[in-house]
Amino acid sequence: MTIGDTIRKYRKENNMTQEDVAVSLGVSTPAVNKWERGVTMPDIALLSPMARLFHITTDQLLSFKSDLSDKEVGDIVQEINHSFEKEEFTSVFSRIEALVREYPSSYSLILSLSLILESQCTIKDIPDRDKYDDWIEKHAHILLESGVESIRLQGADLLFNLYMRQKRYDEAEKCLEHFSLQNPERKRKKASIYVEKGEYEEAFKALEETLFSLGQSIEATLNEIYMLEMKTGAYDKAQYILGKEETLADLLDRGTYHRVSSWLDYYVARKNGDGVISIMEQLLENTDSLLSFTSSPLFEHMNFKIVDPSYFQNIRKDLIDSFINEETYDFVKTSPLWPDFKKKWLGSKIQ
């Protein structure tokens, strides 16, 4: 909308005539008529009084829009994508440039258009790719200034991929500073730089550390889901989640101890004495497997601390002591499996 269109729009919304506006602003009625027809522009000194007259901001009066809604961005993206299918590449690119000039503060639009342009350049194998890469690089840097973390990270990712493709590895590495140390993407991307530089040992180590960290995170998340299922009484679903924990433990060579440990809590909560004894027996027999992942081929390039054998003995002792001293396990002593278990593991410590 031109400013003339805007003046007409808000004048009518306020049920005012051109003469009403002219009188309020101290100008002639023909002057207001010329503004609305786009023949002339109002004096800059009249913008604030006019905005107050229409009960709007000067930004609204000037049709200024700093951002777009998600739907508006989606509609633009869809239109641009369709345009690439039927129009000349340069023509669509010109429209992209115009859109960014029109909405320079819409980071979501800049991100979407940059991703589209990157994708189209790759798909169509554009000969003068450097021109478009320069545009993408410039606007990826703009995205890094966004106050929205997800947009900043996507901007850094866009820039990283561009630098990697151009073999500008030092600049690609600087992009990683935008990813937190806890973000697994940081190490994974670092590994890709190592690979390109031929530093394979470092690449293996970075990837293995990423896998190890992600495994721990998934394990913790599954356990939280399991506890929530138990809290809400969804016991069948809780068993299903525990099955997934078992699968994860096998996948990451976590050993039998990790594989079955969560079942102990389940059987205790369900007052299943036979189940508790079965799991406790497996835990006591497999305490040495607690650190089995340290010898797994999955993590052979990682450095783990050497653990004294007494560590596993202490784990077994703590498990046995908990059976003796914690009231939580009193109900287990009614299980028909209890006598054999007591004889094998607890001996004379049980009264």
Side-chain angles (χ1 to χ4, degrees):
M1 294 174 66
T2 66
I3 190 170
D5 294 328
T6 306
I7 292 171
R8 182 186 303 107
K9 172 180 180 292
Y10 287 111
R11 173 177 64 77
K12 289 183 176 181
E13 286 184 4
N14 284 273
N15 296 315
M16 300 178 73
T17 64
Q18 290 183 345
E19 184 178 2
D20 292 333
V21 174
V23 171
S24 297
L25 297 177
V27 298
S28 68
T29 302
V32 176
N33 181 269
K34 288 181 179 179
W35 297 342
E36 293 189 2
R37 290 188 292 116
V39 176
T40 60
M41 297 280 286
D43 189 280
I44 191 170
L46 293 174
L47 295 181
S48 291
M50 194 185 307
R52 288 194 297 271
L53 177 65
F54 294 149
H55 308 291
I56 59 175
T57 66
T58 52
D59 282 350
Q60 288 173 292
L61 182 62
L62 295 171
S63 299
F64 176 77
K65 194 170 186 181
S66 62
D67 207 348
L68 295 165
S69 68
D70 290 343
K71 182 180 184 307
E72 288 173 320
V73 171
D75 289 343
I76 290 173
V77 167
Q78 187 175 30
E79 189 274 326
I80 291 295
N81 270 324
H82 288 161
S83 296
F84 271 120
E85 295 174 5
K86 57 189 179 183
E87 297 179 28
E88 289 291 330
F89 192 96
T90 54
S91 174
V92 183
F93 176 65
S94 295
R95 192 143 71 256
I96 288 176
E97 290 183 302
L99 283 164
V100 171
R101 283 195 299 269
E102 185 175 359
Y103 301 105
S105 300
S106 179
Y107 292 110
S108 57
L109 178 66
I110 294 172
L111 173 62
S112 297
L113 294 178
S114 298
L115 291 172
I116 291 174
L117 185 60
E118 166 72 20
S119 174
Q120 289 294 326
C121 283
T122 302
I123 293 172
K124 299 178 186 273
D125 193 23
I126 302 301
D128 48 349
R129 180 73 182 265
D130 289 347
K131 169 186 174 181
Y132 304 108
D133 280 350
D134 289 345
W135 191 93
I136 292 169
E137 181 178 357
K138 173 186 174 183
H139 290 85
H141 278 290
I142 291 174
L143 295 173
L144 299 181
E145 300 170 5
S146 169
V148 181
E149 183 181 9
S150 60
I151 288 181
R152 286 201 310 273
L153 289 180
Q154 289 182 84
D157 187 62
L158 184 64
L159 205 53
F160 175 85
N161 292 330
L162 185 146
Y163 288 150
M164 288 296 290
R165 179 164 47 77
Q166 296 178 339
K167 303 189 185 302
R168 297 159 65 181
Y169 302 127
D170 290 342
E171 290 169 278
E173 189 164 356
K174 289 181 181 178
C175 293
L176 302 185
E177 296 173 4
H178 296 279
F179 296 82
S180 71
L181 293 174
Q182 292 73 37
N183 190 331
E185 278 296 288
R186 180 167 179 153
K187 269 190 176 173
R188 191 185 65 77
K189 291 180 182 298
K190 179 72 173 177
S192 65
I193 295 175
Y194 285 137
V195 170
E196 292 301 320
K197 289 183 174 181
E199 300 173 9
Y200 300 129
E201 287 297 311
E202 291 300 322
F204 273 123
K205 183 179 179 181
L207 289 172
E208 289 172 11
E209 289 174 348
T210 301
L211 178 62
F212 187 78
S213 176
L214 285 171
Q216 289 183 312
S217 179
I218 295 172
E219 181 181 39
T221 303
L222 281 172
N223 192 252
E224 288 187 19
I225 295 173
Y226 155 76
M227 289 189 293
L228 185 57
E229 299 292 359
M230 291 293 289
K231 188 173 184 177
T232 57
Y235 301 119
D236 288 345
K237 182 68 179 294
Q239 289 188 62
Y240 171 80
I241 297 299
L242 290 179
K244 295 300 181 184
E245 287 190 35
E246 289 183 326
T247 301
L248 180 66
D250 289 340
L251 177 67
L252 299 178
D253 293 339
R254 299 278 280 164
T256 301
Y257 192 98
H258 282 288
R259 188 175 189 275
V260 303
S261 58
S262 292
W263 283 98
L264 184 65
D265 173 81
Y266 176 82
Y267 287 127
V268 168
R270 302 293 286 152
K271 298 298 181 182
N272 183 331
D274 291 357
V276 170
I277 289 176
S278 173
I279 296 300
M280 184 64 81
E281 181 124 30
Q282 292 183 68
L283 294 177
L284 291 169
E285 288 176 346
N286 292 281
T287 51
D288 290 355
S289 74
L290 259 170
L291 301 178
S292 62
F293 59 86
T294 62
S295 58
S296 167
L298 278 176
F299 309 111
E300 63 180 338
H301 296 85
M302 291 179 63
N303 298 317
F304 296 101
K305 292 182 180 179
I306 297 176
V307 177
D308 189 277
S310 62
Y311 170 78
F312 304 110
Q313 295 172 7
N314 290 332
I315 293 292
R316 279 191 289 271
K317 181 178 180 301
D318 289 342
L319 285 171
I320 292 172
D321 286 346
S322 68
F323 250 48
I324 296 173
N325 300 316
E326 293 183 16
E327 294 181 3
T328 304
Y329 298 107
D330 284 351
F331 75 93
V332 176
K333 297 173 185 178
T334 63
S335 167
L337 301 179
W338 176 251
D340 288 341
F341 179 85
K342 180 177 69 172
K343 181 179 179 180
K344 179 176 180 180
W345 293 104
L346 309 184
S348 60
K349 291 187 178 183
I350 294 295
Q351 299 300 321

